[in-house]
Amino acid sequence: MEQWILWALVAVGIGLLGLSFRVFSPREVWLSFLLNAYAASFFGSIVAGAGLLEYPVRFFFCFLYK
């Protein structure tokens, strides 16, 4: 069930990214996307390193472990 939710969120995210190219210039979209990814990975590693968050599901590599 969790994997279906994650796949649905990936599909929505890709759809919204494609939609945002129509509204904003591609330069603004890529800049905001990359800055968001950088900030999320930075703060995510801090939070996971402190033990406040665990990653129980291996999302994209789940087919290798079945």
Side-chain angles (χ1 to χ4, degrees), residues 17-43:
L17 181 64
L19 181 65
S20 66
F21 277 114
R22 293 183 178 182
V23 177
F24 301 109
S25 71
R27 182 178 179 190
E28 292 175 350
V29 172
W30 284 114
L31 181 65
S32 64
F33 178 75
L34 292 175
L35 286 176
N36 187 21
Y38 178 73
S41 64
F42 177 72
F43 290 117

Side-chain angles (χ1 to χ4, degrees), residues 1-20:
M1 181 64 181
E2 293 174 352
Q3 290 179 353
W4 286 103
I5 295 171
L6 291 174
W7 280 112
L9 290 174
V10 167
V12 167
I14 290 172
L16 288 176
L17 181 64
L19 181 65
S20 66

Side-chain angles (χ1 to χ4, degrees), residues 44 47-55:
V47 170
L52 300 173
L53 178 67
E54 295 180 9
Y55 297 107

Side-chain angles (χ1 to χ4, degrees), residues 48-63:
L52 300 173
L53 178 67
E54 295 180 9
Y55 297 107
V57 177
R58 294 185 182 266
F59 181 47
F60 288 111
F61 298 107
C62 63
F63 58 90

